[in-house]
Amino acid sequence: MDGSRGLYRVETEEGSFSCTIRGRLRKELVYAESGAARRSVRHVEVMPHDPVAVGDRVRILPTGGASGVIEQVVARAGGAFSRRDPDPKSGNLRTVAGLDQLVPVFATRDPEPHLGLLDRFLVVAESQRMRPIICITKCDLGLAPELVARLEVYRALGYPVVHTSVSTGEGLDDLRALLAGKVSALVGKSGVGKSSLLNALLPEADLRVGEVSAATGKGRHTTTSTRLLPLGGSDGGYLADTAGIRALGLDRDAERMLDACFPEFRPHLGTCMLADCTHTHEPECAVRAAVAGGQVDAVRYASYCRMRGYDGATPLAEEMWDADDDFAE
Ligand code: GDP
Ligand code: ZN
């Protein structure tokens, strides 16, 4: 789609529509620069911008003739993720768009790593076409053998896993190399060491959360913009300051595509007996057969079922929202 001054041209199979945008959508979502702007980004403060970006896939409601209203952003070209507005009363969403990479951060301990949360981060990344990079911090404290074994599962799936420590400097060059030239965001529970990593990775010390608060003059919990912090180095790249992120959510489309967000399921999809198989309880399910046969890791499959809302758990979107505690300070 193509937008100018509140009117957007949306190309559909039934032709071109001239669309306005739902007021609600405009209020709820704040996007960073588009993918095109990102490549030549000069100023790193990301301002609230159109909730719809050129190139987005949107859902429209035709209102007669060739006119319509944009109801929902279904997917964007680059990666994006949403965060809950700091104001719990408004319940607004903010979205940082144009992320190339999502970096889930887990500590070896303090806090203990719970990799169910990693599976959710990976689904967010997969559904929004961000490259995930798994970062393990505090490796100077030692890795439990169970953690080492679990990380092998993710490596085998093709996800890069970096072992770091800001205390010893281990892995920081590897991480830098993976971040170079890309726009990435570190995500993870409070206390895993995200700020420490930011400070170790950024060329200028102290470019961190505190400065964002000072810049907006309102304190971090009412920060309304997300900054992209330049990584320096010959290849450039940015780290998004995601201090305000309280929870990650998925839109309904992503929820529907959940099975495809597990790369190890993909060879089996479409071969279940039922066309609309959810791979939780149906007979002759190819995914469940692969779990039974050991081709698909059973713990990852259990994460999938939890996100699906099988097992008496809440459905994915709500569960993701309720992951708030994982981000609480
Ligand atoms: P954040 O909440 O994710 O930003 O985590 P912080 O960066 O504030 O770190 C939380 C705590 O973990 C602090 O006490 C840090 O000193 C400590 N920490 C961070 N990185 C490391 C590390 O690599 N090794 C060790 N031993 N401690 C670390
Ligand atoms: Zn199935």
Side-chain angles (χ1 to χ4, degrees):
M1 59 140 287
D2 178 10
S4 69
R5 275 185 256 112
L7 219 51
Y8 302 81
R9 198 179 76 235
V10 180
E11 300 296 344
T12 76
E13 280 170 9
E14 286 110 63
S16 181
F17 285 78
S18 176
C19 295
T20 55
I21 181 170
R22 270 250 179 277
R24 189 175 55 83
L25 190 58
R26 184 179 292 287
K27 276 191 216 119
E28 280 180 359
L29 301 173
V30 178
Y31 285 130
E33 276 114 312
S34 73
R38 191 207 321 145
R39 276 190 285 280
S40 59
V41 68
R42 274 286 172 274
H43 60 118
V44 297
E45 179 107 15
V46 176
M47 301 305 291
H49 196 255
D50 257 7
V52 179
V54 173
D56 282 351
R57 287 182 50 221
V58 296
R59 182 165 290 140
I60 67 167
L61 180 70
T63 51
S67 303
V69 175
I70 297 175
E71 292 275 326
Q72 194 199 347
V73 178
V74 176
R76 18 194 57 202
F81 60 86
S82 26
R83 68 185 199 190
R84 189 137 62 180
D85 187 276
D87 178 3
K89 268 176 271 172
S90 71
N92 283 348
L93 305 182
R94 299 191 186 289
T95 296
V96 182
L99 286 176
D100 302 311
Q101 309 192 124
L102 191 68
V103 187
V105 181
F106 288 84
T108 55
R109 66 172 75 157
D110 306 325
E112 285 301 315
H114 293 297
L115 299 186
L117 180 60
L118 172 58
D119 292 329
R120 294 191 215 173
F121 284 140
L122 294 174
V123 163
V124 169
E126 292 282 349
S127 71
Q128 301 180 16
R129 276 171 246 120
M130 293 183 268
R131 178 197 191 202
I133 296 167
I134 301 168
C135 179
I136 307 301
T137 56
K138 309 193 192 183
C139 288
D140 55 291
L141 301 179
L143 275 79
E146 308 83 73
L147 179 59
V148 174
R150 287 311 302 162
L151 292 176
E152 274 317 309
V153 172
Y154 295 94
R155 251 196 214 99
L157 290 172
Y159 294 124
V161 181
V162 206
H163 293 230
T164 65
S165 164
V166 297
S167 307
T168 65
E170 174 190 352
L172 294 179
D173 283 341
D174 297 336
L175 185 55
R176 243 182 232 113
L178 288 164
L179 299 177
K182 300 281 196 286
V183 181
S184 314
L186 307 179
V187 290
K189 270 187 169 186
S190 176
V192 295
K194 298 181 299 297
S195 318
S196 308
L197 270 180
L198 271 178
N199 282 326
L201 292 168
L202 296 171
E204 293 159 66
D206 282 342
L207 254 182
R208 40 159 206 224
V209 175
E211 195 174 302
V212 174
S213 308
T216 62
K218 288 178 182 172
R220 62 184 295 187
H221 292 294
T222 53
T223 297
T224 53
S225 59
T226 299
R227 300 193 346 160
L228 297 181
L229 307 170
L231 279 165
S234 51
D235 295 324
Y238 294 89
L239 272 176
D241 168 31
T242 49
I245 293 180
R246 312 302 289 180
L248 291 168
L250 289 178
D251 61 32
R252 285 205 190 87
D253 257 41
E255 204 172 334
R256 206 165 39 75
M257 302 293 289
L258 185 61
D259 50 9
C261 293
F262 284 73
E264 66 269 53
F265 290 10
R266 287 176 201 152
H268 310 288
L269 299 180
T271 61
C272 302
M273 185 180 73
L274 300 174
D276 60 351
C277 187
T278 66
H279 325 301
T280 51
H281 60 279
E282 294 87 347
E284 292 185 49
C285 166
V287 173
R288 291 207 296 149
V291 176
Q295 298 104 293
V296 166
D297 178 76
V299 179
R300 287 266 297 164
Y301 175 69
S303 279
Y304 166 83
C305 289
R306 263 201 310 281
M307 290 185 218
R308 260 280 181 244
Y310 198 64
D311 240 328
T314 46
L316 176 64
E318 286 158 48
E319 197 185 354
M320 301 283 276
W321 259 177
D322 291 344
D324 247 19
D325 284 352
D326 292 324
F327 297 89
E329 297 293 326

